[in-house]
Amino acid sequence: MSIYLILISVNMTLLYHQEIRKEMEKSCTFLVHFDKGSPAIATEIKEALEGSDVSAKIDAMKKAISLLLNGETLPQLFITIVRYVLPSEDHTVQKLLLLYLEIIDKKDAKGTVLPEMILICQNLRNNLQHPNEYIRGVTLRFLCRLNETEIIEPLIPSVLQNLEHRHPFIRRNAISAVMTIYKLPHGEQLLVDAPEMIEKVLSIELDQSAKRNAFLMLFNCDQDRAINYLLTNVDKVSEWGELLQMVVLELIRKVCRTNRGEKGKYIKIIISLLNSPSNAVIYECASTLVSLSSAPTAIRAAASTYCQLLISQSDNNVKLIVLDRLNELKSSHREIMVDRIMDVLRALSSPNLDIQKKTLDIVLDLITPRNINEVVLMLKKEVMKTQNGELEKNGEYRQMLIQAIHSCAIKFPEVASTVVHLLMDFLGDSNVASAIDVAIFVREIIETNPKLRVSIITRLLDTFYQIRAARVCSCALWIIGEYCLSLSEVESGIATIKQCLGELPFFSVSEEGEAPTDASKNSQQPSSVTVSSRRPAILSDGTYATQSAASETSFSPPTHVQGSLVAVNLRSHLLTGDFFLGAVVACTLTKLVLRLEEVQPSKFEVNKASAQALLIMVSMIQLGQSPVLSHPIDGDSYDRILLCIRLLCSTGDEVRKIWLQSCRQSFVKMLSEKQLRETEELKAKAQVSYAQPDDLIDFYHLKSRKGMSQLELEDEVQDDLKRATGEFIKDGDDANKLNRILQLTGFSDPVYAEAYVTVHHYDIVLDVTVINRTKDTLQNLCLELATMGDLKLVERPQNYTLAPESSKQIKANIKVSSTETGVIFGNIVYETSNVLERTVVVLNDIHIDIMDYISPAVCTDSAFRTMWAEFEWENKVAVNTIIQSEKDFLDHVIKSTNMKCLTAPSALDGDCGFLAANLYAKSIFGEDALVNISIEKQADGKLSGYIRIRSKTQGIALSLGDKITLKQKGGS
């Protein structure tokens, strides 16, 4: 049960506000859908209620309640219910009666209690004195939902008598009823000494739920008494029940927010509650510590508590919530969280991918030279665990681990040697995404760690036969072509490629139109392939024909792969029409032959290798141009292979320099730009704060330390540091506030209104200022709001009285459930003594901007492509702008949409008349927003093209499209 209490405790603040708002809301216990197509007739319900059959009464009451909830009034049933239902002793009937009394209208149009409501007072009084505890308890609970003073006032003596009842169920509901009565508009006059009575009850009460309700009553109605009781019994707090301890923590938070100077004595209470057996309590203790104190001792205690919950709880929702709290701690107290990195890593034992991803994200930001070896060792163990194949999503988890190890090796190159060879075993992984990540990791490590070059090349040539994915083959071939430098490495590289291509030619045709035959697949032994040869023959009629002959040729793998099974993986891709890979093979062979000319003194061996490479390239072109393939070779791959043939036939020094040096220089430049981008992102995340020159300077060493604990002293130091570095001051807040003020009415309207809009995650708060510009008193002034889109009003409108030329601050809370752009509209309604009719002032619409919900984010190119293929909602916006520069237009779209450009700056350089870029952002609801911009400069200087938006949900795609359409012309 404690697991779910943690989830409930996250929303304690919302529950507290709901209790405060209870008196101005129309209460309703439940809502029931009722089909009004065949409504029960009032006379039938009346007859059933007048009868003596209890089951018929129950059914009739249920029908009446359903009709009332669906808009019917049924005024004729009230007297019948008073006469025939009130006297019933059946518990179900009494419960339905209370529901009925709760939902009927008890006041007329003028706000006066209906006279017939007095008829139910005697029955309620009898119920409050009923010998059955259940009847008493539910009646007391019903009184908590009444707002009518005229009905409640005669019942107060009976309510107070129940405070001393022997049964705790009645006592706890009686305390709640007293609190509700005391919080009514004139409740303090009805129960003058209510706080004093409840304090006495609290001092002698033994039931934990009743004690919780009593303390909550003091908390809401007489905070000083609650604080006095808490400080008097400070040594017994750890012995209280968890429900009461949760209210104590809420009280501490409220007191410390208003008076930060007193938080020292309350933090001691929080520290003592960290040893509570309730998981919900210790979670709330940790959250309260973090919100009230920045002392290292308090933060360590909170971090330790979170880690304990992370390991001990089996519920995935709890783990995700705790990981969010740890992530917040990491942002503000990184040096403390570094010591807890191994505890956080233990969350990887959970099979849930979301938990594993959040854990790795937190850990990667906490890596230091001191803990890098332990972290990498743990990640290596997790990678090896994924090989057993027991879990469903082992491939995705392995991909995340590989990416994490990649990040570790980039930050700390010294650990690369311990992981690179382990990861290279996954180059042939069935999960293509993880295999690609390994290949990219190897490509980066071999450049940044020159000492590992020889071992990586040797291992890559050994494992190349295991690679199945074409993209992984392409990356591995590029590494072989660039980093095989010695004579033995170059020769082994050429031999490996030849073995994976198999014998030439790639197909044999005995009759015209026969499908290509891969002889190596027909072989029974993996160490031999069937070689097809073709030679001209003269037929009996004197004509020429092609004669095919097949022979089985055995070969063994190179010396560095003795004993391994040879797989012709490159050949299989070529026979399926993948000529892009064929072009990569041609380029790799060209580089290896050019490098062989530098390291091989024998000209004969060089010429032999060159001839073999030319034969392979010609065979690939021949296969691509053959009519037996359904998809012939594409033009780009054909041109690329032909260029390699020409280079091997006639090579100049400039060409040799381009192929052997410039390619790697471009790769090094790409890595440098990537590192620079990451550095800039870290700087952007860092908080930039400034202290004002006239800020108060508090000299910690000159303060009196008498009576202060070590934790209080640490807290003082941290506050001084924050004040000195300006962390308490958020730069630009004043300017942002001015930008968010919206004028709702005109200056000539009798009532002027403006709103300050605050968007905070799932909540929108409208702080509306209403000014009475007339000489009359405005009565029953009400701010009526309505929403369009995925917005929901939380509170019901309240009536106010506004004096002449005075103002009133009205707050409205709105819940947001998606990233879709919403609209808030409404009016202000009021009455004056001079005019009988109500006056309505229509307000300007408030458009909630999607930019408040999304923020720039970063993802890999492969992740972007994967999401682009998976997302089903696309919005295509045509480019229509007066901006004439492609780069300026891209910058304008990025600024307008608050997105991150994933395309490298080097790819955007130059002036070719074309531009393509990918943008990415993430919403506060976890939704991904993908944007692709493809534009071209026309002959007249104007830009044309399309902006394509993709997302998993329709709302964000449409809202971003509308935003871009509005902003793309260059407007503000």
Side-chain angles (χ1 to χ4, degrees):
M1 180 179 178
S2 59
I3 294 175
Y4 300 101
L5 281 173
I6 295 177
L7 295 174
I8 295 170
S9 65
V10 176
N11 298 318
M12 281 291 291
T13 306
L14 292 176
L15 295 175
Y16 168 67
H17 288 301
Q18 286 175 1
E19 291 184 7
I20 292 178
R21 293 196 302 267
K22 193 180 294 181
E23 66 270 9
M24 57 185 177
E25 293 184 356
K26 182 178 179 181
S27 302
C28 181
T29 304
F30 71 103
L31 295 175
V32 180
H33 172 73
F34 189 79
D35 188 3
K36 298 178 70 175
S38 57
I41 302 174
T43 54
E44 294 180 1
I45 298 176
K46 185 176 179 182
E47 291 175 359
L49 293 175
E50 292 174 352
S52 59
D53 188 357
V54 175
S55 60
K57 282 188 178 183
I58 292 173
D59 292 338
M61 287 296 295
K62 288 180 179 180
K63 290 179 181 179
I65 292 171
S66 299
L67 287 171
L68 287 169
L69 289 174
N70 281 273
E72 301 291 338
T73 55
L74 304 179
Q76 65 273 29
L77 287 182
F78 182 78
I79 299 300
T80 303
I81 289 174
V82 170
R83 290 182 61 190
Y84 296 100
V85 179
L86 280 182
S88 176
E89 294 291 332
D90 185 80
H91 291 181
T92 305
V93 173
Q94 287 295 322
K95 186 174 181 179
L96 292 172
L97 171 64
L98 294 177
L99 290 174
Y100 169 81
L101 295 176
E102 183 180 336
I103 61 178
I104 61 173
D105 291 327
K106 305 172 190 65
K107 295 183 179 181
D108 56 18
K110 297 180 180 180
T112 306
V113 176
L114 296 171
E116 55 266 30
M117 288 297 115
I118 304 301
L119 297 174
I120 68 173
C121 288
Q122 184 60 40
N123 177 264
L124 293 175
R125 186 185 295 109
N126 294 337
N127 284 351
L128 291 174
Q129 298 171 357
H130 200 281
N132 185 277
E133 289 86 357
Y134 176 77
I135 298 294
R136 284 199 189 199
V138 295
T139 306
L140 287 166
R141 195 161 52 194
F142 166 72
L143 294 182
C144 296
R145 304 185 185 102
L146 285 183
N147 299 323
E148 291 74 25
T149 307
E150 293 84 349
I151 300 176
I152 292 177
E153 187 173 2
L155 306 175
I156 291 178
S158 300
V159 173
L160 296 179
Q161 288 177 5
N162 285 299
L163 289 174
E164 300 176 357
H165 195 274
R166 60 180 178 80
H167 202 286
F169 174 68
I170 295 176
R171 294 199 302 271
R172 78 171 73 116
N173 284 294
I175 294 170
S176 299
V178 170
M179 179 174 65
T180 303
I181 295 170
Y182 191 80
K183 290 166 63 178
L184 290 174
H186 302 288
E188 296 181 10
Q189 299 174 8
L190 298 176
L191 285 172
V192 180
D193 55 346
E196 185 179 350
M197 284 190 299
I198 298 300
E199 186 178 15
K200 290 179 181 178
V201 170
L202 181 60
S203 62
I204 61 174
E205 182 60 61
L206 298 179
D207 181 71
Q208 295 299 327
S209 297
K211 289 186 72 172
R212 179 258 181 193
N213 288 357
F215 191 81
L216 184 63
M217 188 273 175
L218 295 179
F219 172 33
N220 289 323
C221 303
D222 194 340
Q223 188 171 303
D224 292 336
R225 287 183 184 270
I227 294 172
N228 182 58
Y229 178 80
L230 174 62
L231 297 179
T232 304
N233 298 275
V234 67
D235 297 330
K236 301 178 182 178
V237 173
S238 58
E239 302 173 3
W240 292 349
E242 62 177 329
L243 294 175
L244 182 55
Q245 289 174 346
M246 298 283 276
V247 182
V248 167
L249 291 172
E250 182 64 29
L251 172 66
I252 291 174
R253 277 197 294 267
K254 183 177 180 182
V255 172
C256 293
R257 286 193 195 104
T258 56
N259 189 358
R260 296 185 64 87
E262 295 185 0
K263 65 182 179 181
K265 54 186 177 184
Y266 294 110
I267 287 179
K268 296 176 185 177
I269 300 175
I270 300 172
I271 295 292
S272 68
L273 288 177
L274 283 174
N275 298 319
S276 171
S278 168
N279 290 319
V281 172
I282 62 175
Y283 172 83
E284 279 298 312
C285 285
S287 301
T288 306
L289 271 180
V290 173
S291 63
L292 298 182
S293 175
S294 55
T297 304
I299 301 302
R300 287 192 189 95
S304 176
T305 302
Y306 285 144
C307 292
Q308 175 187 339
L309 289 171
L310 184 64
I311 298 165
S312 63
Q313 298 304 309
S314 59
D315 189 274
N316 288 339
N317 293 318
V318 175
K319 287 180 180 287
L320 288 170
I321 291 171
V322 172
L323 284 171
D324 286 337
R325 302 292 84 77
L326 287 171
N327 192 38
E328 293 171 1
L329 275 186
K330 178 205 68 178
S331 303
S332 54
H333 304 279
R334 183 180 182 275
E335 65 285 350
I336 294 174
M337 283 298 299
V338 166
D339 298 332
R340 292 287 171 182
I341 188 170
M342 297 310 296
D343 292 332
V344 176
L345 267 175
R346 292 173 66 182
L348 290 177
S349 59
S350 171
N352 185 276
L353 280 179
D354 293 329
I355 294 174
Q356 292 165 342
K357 185 177 185 305
K358 280 194 174 185
T359 302
L360 290 175
D361 290 341
I362 293 172
V363 167
L364 289 179
D365 289 337
L366 298 176
I367 295 174
T368 63
R370 190 177 60 187
N371 59 31
I372 181 63
N373 291 324
E374 292 179 295
V375 172
V376 170
L377 181 62
M378 181 74 171
L379 296 178
K380 283 172 62 178
K381 290 180 180 178
E382 290 296 317
V383 170
M384 288 186 282
K385 286 180 184 177
T386 61
Q387 293 178 302
N388 57 24
E390 294 179 0
L391 300 177
E392 296 181 4
K393 299 184 178 180
N394 263 343
E396 296 178 41
Y397 180 40
R398 182 161 56 244
Q399 182 183 359
M400 290 192 295
L401 291 171
I402 290 169
Q403 292 172 349
I405 294 175
H406 186 177
S407 300
C408 295
I410 296 305
K411 292 180 181 178
F412 302 94
E414 62 272 11
V415 302
S417 59
T418 63
V419 295
V420 65
H421 297 103
L422 170 66
L423 295 186
M424 289 181 72
D425 291 336
F426 296 99
L427 283 171
D429 194 356
S430 57
N431 185 348
V432 179
S434 62
I436 292 172
D437 287 334
V438 173
I440 294 173
F441 169 67
V442 172
R443 184 182 66 180
E444 194 164 344
I445 292 301
I446 199 172
E447 172 59 39
T448 56
N449 294 265
K451 294 180 181 179
L452 300 177
R453 185 193 63 80
V454 176
S455 61
I456 290 176
I457 285 294
T458 304
R459 188 63 176 269
L460 180 60
L461 294 174
D462 289 347
T463 57
F464 189 81
Y465 304 95
Q466 304 171 6
I467 301 175
R468 291 292 176 266
R471 289 183 60 192
V472 183
C473 285
S474 300
C475 189
L477 286 169
W478 186 89
I479 296 172
I480 292 172
E482 287 294 335
Y483 295 98
C484 286
L485 303 180
S486 65
L487 176 59
S488 60
E489 292 170 350
V490 173
E491 290 177 344
S492 298
I494 295 175
T496 299
I497 294 174
K498 286 174 59 182
Q499 296 286 3
C500 291
L501 287 172
E503 294 292 338
L504 301 178
F506 292 107
F507 69 99
S508 60
V509 179
S510 57
E511 295 181 9
E512 186 176 357
E514 186 178 337
T517 302
D518 182 8
S520 62
K521 289 185 178 179
N522 298 327
S523 175
Q524 298 297 322
Q525 299 295 331
S527 59
S528 63
V529 296
T530 302
V531 180
S532 299
S533 60
R534 297 185 299 169
R535 56 181 182 270
I538 303 176
L539 301 180
S540 57
D541 58 358
T543 59
Y544 289 92
T546 299
Q547 182 177 0
S548 298
S551 62
E552 190 171 276
T553 303
S554 299
F555 62 92
S556 59
T559 56
H560 59 276
V561 288
Q562 282 293 341
S564 64
L565 296 179
V566 178
V568 283
N569 48 354
L570 295 180
R571 186 185 190 93
S572 62
H573 286 298
L574 287 174
L575 291 177
T576 55
D578 190 350
F579 288 102
F580 175 79
L581 180 60
V584 177
V585 170
C587 293
T588 303
L589 288 172
T590 303
K591 291 179 183 178
L592 292 175
V593 171
L594 292 177
R595 190 163 283 116
L596 188 65
E597 293 178 4
E598 296 179 350
V599 298
Q600 174 60 265
S602 173
K603 197 71 174 175
F604 173 76
E605 294 294 335
V606 174
N607 291 337
K608 180 181 176 182
S610 179
Q612 291 174 343
L614 288 171
L615 180 60
I616 291 172
M617 297 177 199
V618 171
S619 299
M620 287 191 292
I621 291 179
Q622 186 182 27
L623 174 65
Q625 293 179 336
S626 171
V628 295
L629 282 182
S630 57
H631 300 288
I633 187 172
D634 57 284
D636 292 338
S637 300
Y638 174 81
D639 293 340
R640 190 71 170 166
I641 298 174
L642 200 61
L643 175 63
C644 294
I645 294 174
R646 291 173 180 168
L647 288 175
L648 290 180
C649 293
S650 57
T651 306
D653 292 337
E654 289 297 325
V655 174
R656 185 187 303 275
K657 181 179 179 182
I658 292 172
W659 279 73
L660 298 183
Q661 297 179 18
S662 299
C663 290
R664 194 187 302 183
Q665 290 172 359
S666 299
F667 178 60
V668 172
K669 184 179 178 183
M670 186 192 79
L671 292 180
S672 301
E673 290 180 351
K674 178 184 175 184
Q675 188 175 4
L676 182 62
R677 261 199 327 270
E678 292 174 352
T679 306
E680 291 176 350
E681 288 171 5
L682 290 176
K683 289 181 179 178
K685 288 182 181 178
Q687 294 181 354
V688 181
S689 53
Y690 304 96
Q692 298 299 322
D694 57 346
D695 281 350
L696 175 67
I697 299 177
D698 207 349
F699 291 97
Y700 157 70
H701 291 287
L702 301 181
K703 276 187 174 182
S704 172
R705 306 186 187 182
K706 187 176 180 180
M708 295 180 69
S709 65
Q710 182 62 31
L711 192 143
E712 290 177 89
L713 293 174
E714 291 179 8
D715 216 17
E716 291 288 339
V717 174
Q718 293 299 319
D719 287 349
D720 292 346
L721 289 174
K722 288 183 178 181
R723 197 174 288 110
T725 56
E727 192 171 330
F728 286 148
I729 303 167
K730 294 182 179 179
D731 191 31
D733 270 4
D734 294 337
N736 291 333
K737 285 183 179 180
L738 290 175
N739 292 335
R740 290 182 176 273
I741 293 178
L742 303 174
Q743 183 178 339
L744 301 181
T745 62
F747 291 111
S748 60
D749 288 323
V751 175
Y752 175 77
E754 63 183 19
Y756 170 59
V757 183
T758 304
V759 179
H760 181 69
H761 293 297
Y762 301 95
D763 300 312
I764 297 176
V765 179
L766 296 182
D767 193 351
V768 183
T769 302
V770 180
I771 302 175
N772 180 6
R773 302 180 67 246
T774 68
K775 301 293 184 180
D776 301 323
T777 299
L778 306 183
Q779 301 173 349
N780 295 327
L781 184 141
C782 180
L783 175 64
E784 297 179 348
L785 297 176
T787 60
M788 186 172 64
D790 288 335
L791 304 175
K792 182 182 178 183
L793 286 168
V794 176
E795 299 169 339
R796 294 178 179 271
Q798 198 172 3
N799 292 333
Y800 302 94
T801 300
L802 207 55
E805 298 181 350
S806 63
S807 62
K808 180 73 177 178
Q809 298 291 125
I810 303 174
K811 284 193 175 183
N813 295 315
I814 296 169
K815 289 290 180 183
V816 186
S817 56
S818 78
T819 324
E820 183 179 350
T821 299
V823 179
I824 303 171
F825 54 93
N827 48 56
I828 293 177
V829 183
Y830 62 89
E831 299 173 352
T832 60
S833 56
N834 300 331
V835 183
L836 297 178
E837 296 182 356
R838 305 189 77 185
T839 306
V840 179
V841 178
V842 180
L843 305 179
N844 292 329
D845 294 346
I846 302 175
H847 293 266
I848 304 302
D849 197 349
I850 187 179
M851 296 302 103
D852 294 323
Y853 305 135
I854 67 173
S855 57
V858 180
C859 69
T860 61
D861 290 339
S862 58
F864 186 92
R865 285 192 292 269
T866 302
M867 289 188 288
W868 188 268
E870 292 176 353
F871 289 173
E872 55 188 10
W873 290 103
E874 177 174 313
N875 190 2
K876 193 174 182 180
V877 179
V879 174
N880 181 17
T881 180
I882 58 175
I883 301 174
Q884 296 189 348
S885 169
E886 306 97 315
K887 191 69 170 62
D888 291 344
F889 179 73
L890 174 63
D891 293 339
H892 178 69
V893 172
I894 292 173
K895 182 179 178 182
S896 302
T897 57
N898 196 26
M899 302 188 78
K900 174 74 175 178
C901 181
L902 301 181
T903 308
S906 57
L908 302 174
D909 290 342
D911 188 12
C912 62
F914 297 91
L915 186 143
N918 294 330
L919 311 182
Y920 179 64
K922 210 170 181 66
S923 75
I924 60 173
F925 305 101
E927 301 167 322
D928 300 290
L930 313 177
V931 172
N932 172 262
I933 300 177
S934 299
I935 51 178
E936 176 186 1
K937 197 166 193 175
Q938 302 292 334
D940 57 359
K942 293 184 178 180
L943 298 180
S944 65
Y946 291 96
I947 301 172
R948 297 167 67 194
I949 306 157
R950 285 197 183 182
S951 66
K952 210 168 190 176
T953 57
Q954 182 184 21
I956 194 169
L958 293 177
S959 300
L960 260 182
D962 295 340
K963 185 73 175 179
I964 291 174
T965 303
L966 180 66
K967 294 282 188 178
Q968 70 167 321
K969 292 191 176 183
S972 57

